[in-house]
Amino acid sequence: MQKQYTIGVDLGGTTITAGLVDENLKIIEKVTCDTNLPRPSEEVEQSIAGLCRQVAEKGGVSFDQIRWVGIGTPGSVNGPEGIVEFNANFGYNNWPLAANMQALLGCRVYIENDANAAAYGEYIAGAAKGAKYAVAITLGTGIGCGVIIEGKIFSGYNHAGAELGHMVIVNDGRPCMCGRKGCWEKYASARALTEDTREAMRQHPDNMMWGLVGGDLSKVNAKTAYDGMRAGDPLATEVVKHFTDAVGCGLTNVVNIFQPEIVCIGGGISKEGETLLAPVREYIDREEYARDSNKRVTLKTAQLRNDAGVVGAASLGDQAGY
Ligand SMILES: [Zn+2]
C-alpha cells in the first residue's frame, strides 16, 4: 500500500510553516515563508497552498498521498465549521479558511486555534503523550494555552475557551490588553519576566546584571535574571522568585480546575528545565487542592518545542468528532 502523509501548517503573524508528517508523526520536511501582513486573506491562502505543494514535492510525495492538511491559526477558531471567527492580528472576521483551502488543495482541510493545535501536538506525540487530561502552557510574549479533555481539544461553547493567560491572579493588578487588570500573563510570561528584570535593574544601577547585558537594557531577556541567580546575585534571585511564584499561582488554579494528568510548559524559558520547574512544582504541591490524592499532576517541559504546532495541526483529522 502507498504510504500516507499529512501536512501541518503553523500560520503565525510573522511566518507560515508547513511540515510534511508521516504516519509515525515525524516531520519529514519543513518549509517556511513570511506571512507579510497586512494583506488580503486570499493572498495568505495562496501562500499556504504554495507551501503545502512545495513541502510535499520536497519530501518526494505526490499530493494524492496527503490524507489531509491541518492548519493552526491565531484567533477564535470554529473547528467543526472550518471558520476563523475572529482574528485580531490578521484583521479577518468569519474567515472560511477550511473551505477555501479545500478548494485550492483538493483535499480535506482541518483548522484549529494555534495554541490548541500545539497542545494537541504535545498530547499526540510529545510531553503529554497518552494523557487524556493534559494542559500545555507556552510562556512567551503572553501565555498560550491548550487544554485536552478526554483526548480532545477543549475550546468552549464559542471556541474562545482555554484562554488561561487572562485569568486574574492579582485583583486590580497590572492592566492587560484584554481589558482586565492583573491577568496571569502580565506576571508569568517571558515578557513579564523580562520587563520585571529591567525594572529591578533600573532601580539598582549598580546591580551585577548590568554587566551581563553590557550595560544595555535592550539586551535583557527572560534568561538574564536566571543567569544572575546562577551567579549568586540576590536581586536576580528575587526577580526569579517573584516570577516563579506567579507561574505557580496560575498553574495551581489551572490544576484545581482541570486536574490534568500532565501539564507541560513550553517557550524559550522552558530551556531552564528543572531550574524553572522545581520551585513551581513545590508551589503546586504546597497549595493544590488535591495534594493528598494518589493521582497527582506531573509537571514537565514541552517536548516538541517549535514543532508542536505543525505536528498538532497535522494530526487534527485524528480528533474524534471532526
Ligand atoms: Zn488579560
Side-chain angles (χ1 to χ4, degrees):
M1 205 184 105
Q2 225 184 10
K3 267 189 147 184
Q4 299 228 293
Y5 299 84
T6 59
I7 292 174
V9 177
D10 190 354
L11 173 57
T14 316
T15 57
I16 312 173
T17 303
L20 178 68
V21 173
D22 73 7
E23 286 158 335
N24 302 316
L25 304 175
K26 292 273 176 300
I27 297 178
I28 310 290
E29 286 289 349
K30 233 172 21 173
V31 293
T32 296
C33 74
D34 289 342
T35 315
N36 279 329
L37 294 175
R39 57 176 174 151
S41 57
E42 294 77 19
E43 288 183 18
V44 173
E45 291 163 4
Q46 290 289 350
S47 292
I48 297 171
L51 282 182
C52 288
R53 296 195 186 287
Q54 196 187 331
V55 81
E57 198 184 320
K58 218 175 153 192
V61 170
S62 78
F63 221 79
D64 58 12
Q65 285 172 267
I66 304 295
R67 293 175 71 198
W68 65 72
V69 171
I71 304 172
T73 165
S76 295
V77 180
N78 180 340
E81 288 183 24
I83 292 168
V84 184
E85 293 184 349
F86 176 74
N87 181 343
N89 287 346
F90 288 61
Y92 316 149
N93 286 332
N94 293 315
W95 182 23
L97 178 60
N100 293 356
M101 292 310 302
Q102 249 161 242
L104 284 173
L105 292 168
C107 70
R108 276 181 298 160
V109 175
Y110 301 96
I111 67 170
E112 187 48 77
N113 167 272
D114 52 357
N116 290 350
Y120 196 62
E122 291 291 346
Y123 160 70
I124 205 112
K129 194 171 175 180
K132 282 190 163 179
Y133 298 85
V135 176
I137 303 283
T138 305
L139 306 180
T141 313
I143 296 184
C145 300
V147 175
I148 305 294
I149 295 178
E150 300 269 350
K152 287 173 68 175
I153 294 166
F154 167 80
S155 61
Y157 171 56
N158 58 2
H159 319 290
E163 286 292 345
L164 306 178
H166 297 287
M167 154 181 71
V168 167
I169 64 162
V170 178
N171 199 25
D172 216 16
R174 297 174 179 172
C176 179
M177 58 82 184
C178 78
R180 304 191 80 190
K181 285 181 181 174
C183 289
W184 189 26
E185 70 174 36
K186 299 307 290 181
Y187 301 86
S189 61
R191 175 183 275 180
L193 172 58
T194 304
E195 284 174 3
D196 286 350
T197 306
R198 283 196 188 116
E199 185 51 34
M201 288 166 65
R202 272 190 215 106
Q203 286 174 14
H204 298 84
D206 300 328
N207 182 263
M208 60 79 68
M209 286 189 283
W210 286 98
L212 298 178
V213 296
D216 183 355
L217 269 188
S218 72
K219 291 201 176 121
V220 173
N221 58 30
K223 198 169 162 280
T224 309
Y226 275 93
D227 288 342
M229 182 175 78
R230 270 186 283 273
D233 178 56
L235 181 66
T237 307
E238 194 186 305
V239 171
V240 170
K241 183 174 187 311
H242 191 255
F243 168 73
T244 306
D245 281 350
V247 175
C249 175
L251 268 188
T252 303
N253 294 344
V254 170
V255 170
N256 280 350
I257 295 166
F258 296 106
Q259 288 298 343
E261 185 182 345
I262 290 177
V263 171
C264 62
I265 299 188
I269 191 143
S270 67
K271 289 189 190 120
E272 294 291 342
E274 281 303 304
T275 312
L276 165 71
L277 294 189
V280 173
R281 203 178 283 126
E282 266 173 40
Y283 190 113
I284 296 172
D285 285 349
R286 201 169 59 236
E287 298 203 1
E288 185 224 326
Y289 181 76
R291 57 191 174 271
D292 296 327
S293 166
N294 58 5
K295 287 182 168 175
R296 297 289 315 284
V297 63
T298 300
L299 182 65
K300 20 164 111 168
T301 50
Q303 219 176 65
L304 303 179
R305 300 196 182 273
N306 292 337
D307 288 337
V310 166
V311 172
S315 309
L316 284 175
D318 285 329
Q319 239 211 148
Y322 268 46

